[in-house]
Amino acid sequence: MKILILGATGSIGLQTIEVIQKFQEIELVGFSFFKNIEKAKNILKIFPNVSIFSKHVKTLNSCDSYDELIDKTKPDIVLNSIIGFAGLDLSILCLNKKINLILANKESMVVAGKFLIELANKNNVSIIPVDSELSSVFSLTNNNKNNIKKIIITASGGKFFDKENLDESHYKFNEVIKHPKWNMGEKISIDSSTMINKYFEIIESSYFYNNEIDVIQHSEAIVHSIVEYLDGSSIMYLSYPDMKIAIQNAIFNFDSKKQIINNLNYDKLNLNFNKIDENKWLPIKWAKDFLINKNLSQPIIINASNDYLFELFKKEEITFNQIIPTIEKTINKFINHKISKIEDVYLLNNLIREWLKEKKYE
Ligand code: NAD
Ligand code: MG
């Protein structure tokens, strides 16, 4: 099976390289990266003959575009593991080329899930999510899609969940990216602490599953999802927090035979669950609003402003606790925009970035 990785130098990309090294039957045919030439060189040491593409770094034998990279390598599957809105173009490109997509870039599903699912169905290709929660629901529902009452994903809650009335304004970027349970890229770690990551996953889940969706807080990050059945029973999916299991499941379509992480040590398990206060964690309230209203502009607004504010927080131009109130103002300003085609997604995304750039929310 030939696989191409877009965004191979990131957290998910490098973990996928680790998974690929364990399997003879998977062939890495190419990868893209953004600017991190050192990490790209390390991958090339392991796979010297693969094709590569980077917008910023040209080396010998590199392709000139994503198009060329895909056409030259002819992959069976593409993993899109780049970060943020930039991933949308590539999800569309792969689906247009009728290639099965493994999607870590949840942002593209969040802003354009309706259009991506339509495109995948039209071209008869699949989209499989690489995210511990969504992947675990796929595993749980693989054999029994009937009689499901509700799907519940878990939220570890990030850095600040347990802190009562804490003023987080003094927390700097480098402190907030240290997630208590997961070792992830910078942006998703910040998104976890604001609960925007869970907002994204609820929206994404609404495109993958036709069931009622809920969320519960679970600090230990051992249970990734719970599927409730009509008869009152439920099944939980448990594993140590490690993305390699979701990556392997996506590559092998949930039929993995090789042990990729250790089983749990059950006698040491202590599992706790808490209801999330939606008045304190507004992204969960926004997600619930979306599940009811299906207003397609809302996820685009939230994603665009979140992408932009992440950069400002990283540059220390705003404090951590300005992120959510600013997103809220942006929602109030743009929520009535109508989204009827994919071009509208790009237009609204740009409009919001311009509005934020001019600091019109102040
Ligand atoms: P990361 O920042 O570690 O890596 C991002 C990759 O994308 C890098 O290879 C980078 O070179 C590339 N990239 C960055 N900007 C780009 C651009 N404008 N154009 C093209 N390439 C660009 O991110 P990550 O943590 O690996 O996350 C990737 C995706 O996976 C995100 O959507 C995230 O939400 C999702 N995800 C990550 C984890 C995790 O454990 N890291 C878990 C679940 C889901
Ligand atoms: Mg997740």
Side-chain angles (χ1 to χ4, degrees), residues 106 131-134 154 182 184 188 197-198 201 243:
K106 62 185 89 175
D131 207 333
S132 54
E133 298 78 3
L134 278 88
T154 58
W182 289 94
M184 308 185 286
I188 184 171
N197 182 49
K198 214 44 57 179
E201 290 176 5
M243 285 304 294

Side-chain angles (χ1 to χ4, degrees), residues 85 300-301 303-305 308 330 334 337 339 342-358:
F85 190 85
I300 304 167
I301 300 165
N303 179 67
S305 43
Y308 190 82
T330 319
F334 290 98
H337 273 252
I339 303 296
I342 188 81
E343 290 77 12
D344 300 336
V345 177
Y346 286 88
L347 284 175
L348 183 55
N349 182 66
N350 291 338
L351 203 61
I352 288 159
R353 293 185 69 92
E354 286 306 315
W355 191 76
L356 288 169
K357 209 186 266 172
E358 289 167 24

Side-chain angles (χ1 to χ4, degrees), residues 7-12 15 33-35 66 81-83 86 104-107 130-131 183-185 188 243:
T9 53
S11 161
I12 290 288
Q15 292 181 78
F33 65 103
F34 201 47
K35 291 182 179 164
Y66 288 109
S81 58
I82 80 167
I83 190 85
N105 176 258
K106 62 185 89 175
E107 293 89 344
V130 173
D131 207 333
N183 181 12
M184 308 185 286
I188 184 171
M243 285 304 294

Side-chain angles (χ1 to χ4, degrees), residues 294-318:
K294 293 280 159 68
N295 182 336
L296 294 184
S297 61
Q298 191 223 44
I300 304 167
I301 300 165
I302 292 175
N303 179 67
S305 43
N306 185 60
D307 266 3
Y308 190 82
L309 297 166
F310 165 81
E311 295 297 339
L312 291 192
F313 177 50
K314 188 172 177 179
K315 289 190 270 185
E316 295 189 8
E317 288 178 24
I318 59 168

Side-chain angles (χ1 to χ4, degrees), residues 85-324:
F85 190 85
L88 179 58
D89 276 348
L90 300 177
S91 293
I92 294 173
L93 182 70
C94 293
L95 296 175
N96 271 332
K97 287 183 182 289
K98 303 190 177 174
I99 301 171
N100 291 320
L101 182 62
I102 299 186
L103 192 61
N105 176 258
K106 62 185 89 175
E107 293 89 344
S108 56
M109 206 64 194
V110 167
V111 298
K114 176 178 181 290
F115 305 108
L116 294 182
I117 296 278
E118 281 169 8
L119 189 56
N121 289 342
K122 187 180 118 204
N123 288 346
N124 203 15
V125 286
S126 59
I127 308 176
I128 297 185
V130 173
D131 207 333
S132 54
E133 298 78 3
L134 278 88
S135 172
S136 64
V137 176
F138 263 67
S139 288
L140 290 178
T141 56
N142 219 2
N143 295 326
N144 185 2
K145 285 203 172 50
N146 301 321
N147 309 331
I148 295 174
K149 183 176 154 206
K150 195 196 230 184
I151 284 166
I152 305 170
I153 60 171
T154 58
S156 70
K159 210 175 176 64
F160 302 117
F161 192 81
D162 293 332
K163 310 232 176 2
E164 282 291 325
N165 303 322
L166 176 93
D167 176 10
E168 305 99 343
S169 56
H170 65 282
Y171 277 93
K172 295 283 182 290
F173 184 81
N174 284 334
E175 296 169 86
V176 187
I177 56 173
K178 287 185 201 127
H179 192 277
K181 291 289 169 198
W182 289 94
N183 181 12
M184 308 185 286
E186 288 177 349
K187 179 171 175 286
I188 184 171
S189 301
I190 303 293
D191 291 349
S192 292
S193 290
T194 53
M195 212 56 101
I196 285 288
N197 182 49
K198 214 44 57 179
Y199 168 85
F200 285 166
E201 290 176 5
I202 295 172
I203 306 306
E204 208 186 358
S205 297
S206 75
Y207 288 117
F208 282 113
Y209 323 114
N210 294 322
N211 304 96
E212 187 183 341
I213 294 155
D214 209 345
V215 57
I216 193 163
Q217 191 269 343
H218 166 57
S219 304
E220 293 83 10
I222 294 288
V223 174
H224 305 293
S225 67
I226 306 167
V227 175
E228 283 187 357
Y229 290 93
L230 292 174
D231 64 3
S233 64
S234 41
I235 305 182
M236 288 183 175
Y237 184 103
L238 295 81
S239 75
Y240 286 123
D242 189 322
M243 285 304 294
K244 286 198 279 299
I245 197 150
I247 293 168
Q248 176 175 301
N249 269 327
I251 294 176
F252 289 101
N253 203 8
F254 301 90
D255 192 18
S256 358
K257 304 224 167 18
K258 207 172 228 177
Q259 177 144 16
I260 195 92
I261 63 172
N262 291 331
N263 283 108
L264 294 165
N265 201 350
Y266 301 102
D267 56 354
K268 299 277 186 301
L269 278 189
N270 176 17
L271 305 176
N272 295 283
F273 300 90
N274 292 294
K275 199 174 157 52
I276 301 178
D277 178 353
E278 292 171 21
N279 292 320
K280 185 172 172 197
W281 298 102
L282 288 183
I284 303 302
K285 184 171 173 296
W286 298 335
K288 298 276 176 80
D289 288 346
F290 177 83
L291 293 178
I292 296 167
N293 301 326
K294 293 280 159 68
N295 182 336
L296 294 184
S297 61
Q298 191 223 44
I300 304 167
I301 300 165
I302 292 175
N303 179 67
S305 43
N306 185 60
D307 266 3
Y308 190 82
L309 297 166
F310 165 81
E311 295 297 339
L312 291 192
F313 177 50
K314 188 172 177 179
K315 289 190 270 185
E316 295 189 8
E317 288 178 24
I318 59 168
T319 59
F320 179 77
N321 59 2
Q322 281 178 288
I323 298 174
I324 293 298

